[in-house]
Amino acid sequence: MKMTLLEIVQNILSDMDSEEINSISDSNEAEQIAKVIENTYFNLISTRVIPEHAQTIKLVSYSSSARPTHFSFPTRVKNIEFLDYNVSEKVGGVEYKRLTYLEPDSFFALSDKRDSLASNVVQVNDVQADSILLIRNDVMPAYYTSFDDENIVLDSYKSTIDSTLTAAKTRAYGTKYPTFDSFSDTFTPDIDDVMFPYLLAEAKSTAMSLFKSGADPKIEQSARRQKSYVQNDMHRVNKGRPHNNYGRR
């Protein structure tokens, strides 16, 4: 069962024999517990694939003629699994093409095969790669890479369609970290119901260690039990196949 942040704080304060509160802002201790819950939450989701955090993502275009095929990740993106681009050459047309991820060395090899002085090749200075990339300007993109895990570079664009590749035509799928409001009584952490007992047990164990004489053995036992359970019950739907994570990790 899901709980609001206030309910989690109240539960922990009760087990710590601390003062009762009606709002997180009622005491410094309650605010400290809320921050412990926030830290525990991000520790929990950063080491796991949380199905609820998977979503379609639009990349952020550089919109620069100097880097016509460069994109950056939106804030809070953990990784992307695949990247599509709308390669339709018709006004208003939709024709998504699945792009192939290349490791940086393979992307360099693709770029280096091109004629640097050809009219259909643009020399792009990539700061992250510390290299000149040879980008074609007469075909829609087919490949992409990332040199720094913060930005993505596609191999080509068609200048007669768009002067640069656009964010609106991207369609990535991956994981995005949610926000956390550690001062809102009604805020509910964005995880599935099955993970709330684990979040509560881990936060309670941490709070006991930080603010009391130490974690209670029963609480520690509960945290271990919940950890084992959620690791085997992450998806509501059986995916039936492993995930390949490309690009940002």
Side-chain angles (χ1 to χ4, degrees):
M1 185 177 77
K2 292 192 175 186
M3 303 169 67
T4 65
L5 183 59
L6 175 60
E7 290 171 335
I8 300 173
V9 171
Q10 289 172 326
N11 187 297
I12 294 174
L13 288 174
S14 175
D15 280 7
M16 291 172 59
D17 293 325
S18 296
E19 179 184 356
E20 293 184 1
I21 61 164
N22 295 313
S23 173
I24 293 171
S25 61
D26 285 350
S27 72
N28 289 334
E29 186 176 32
E31 292 179 351
Q32 290 176 321
I33 297 298
K35 293 302 292 184
V36 167
I37 297 168
E38 179 182 12
N39 292 335
T40 303
Y41 173 76
F42 280 112
N43 286 339
L44 187 156
I45 68 173
S46 66
T47 57
R48 292 168 177 79
V49 176
I50 309 297
E52 299 93 297
H53 299 165
Q55 57 185 276
T56 54
I57 298 165
K58 293 290 187 187
L59 301 183
V60 179
S61 174
Y62 272 43
S63 299
S64 167
S65 59
R67 294 180 178 84
T69 64
H70 277 60
F71 292 89
S72 60
F73 288 96
T75 57
R76 306 196 314 277
V77 169
K78 178 181 180 181
N79 73 294
I80 63 170
E81 292 189 21
F82 62 76
L83 175 61
D84 298 335
Y85 194 81
N86 182 3
V87 298
S88 175
E89 298 184 18
K90 300 177 181 178
V91 176
V94 177
E95 184 185 343
Y96 282 106
K97 176 182 179 180
R98 180 64 47 85
L99 306 185
T100 301
Y101 173 76
L102 296 179
E103 292 291 345
D105 59 340
S106 296
F107 196 89
F108 280 138
L110 174 70
S111 169
D112 292 345
K113 289 178 181 177
R114 295 169 176 172
D115 182 352
S116 63
L117 299 178
S119 60
N120 66 337
V121 171
V122 177
Q123 297 186 27
V124 174
N125 184 12
D126 188 283
V127 177
Q128 287 75 33
D130 193 23
S131 177
I132 300 294
L133 300 177
L134 303 181
I135 303 297
R136 286 186 61 176
N137 64 8
D138 62 341
V139 291
M140 287 296 190
Y143 302 95
Y144 72 102
T145 195
S146 179
F147 297 108
D148 62 354
D149 225 26
E150 295 290 339
N151 300 276
I152 282 180
V153 186
L154 278 60
D155 71 304
S156 61
Y157 69 109
K158 195 161 187 177
S159 60
T160 56
I161 303 299
D162 291 307
S163 58
T164 68
L165 297 182
T166 65
K169 292 186 177 182
T170 62
R171 184 179 66 184
Y173 184 81
T175 303
K176 192 171 184 179
Y177 290 121
T179 57
F180 193 102
D181 189 348
S182 59
F183 297 102
S184 170
D185 292 339
T186 58
F187 173 74
T188 301
D190 185 14
I191 50 175
D192 195 54
D193 295 28
V194 72
M195 298 192 72
F196 268 81
Y198 179 44
L199 173 64
L200 175 61
E202 283 290 325
K204 190 176 296 185
S205 175
T206 302
M208 288 286 190
S209 296
L210 290 175
F211 307 123
K212 295 297 181 181
S213 58
D216 184 279
K218 288 293 184 182
I219 295 174
E220 288 283 290
Q221 183 183 48
S222 175
R224 289 194 297 271
R225 185 182 300 116
Q226 292 299 330
K227 179 179 180 180
S228 176
Y229 177 67
V230 298
Q231 285 177 334
N232 294 300
D233 193 25
M234 296 291 287
H235 291 279
R236 289 186 176 184
V237 178
N238 183 6
K239 298 295 184 178
R241 62 176 178 83
H243 288 286
N244 291 318
N245 291 326
Y246 301 118
R248 185 180 176 93
R249 297 179 184 276

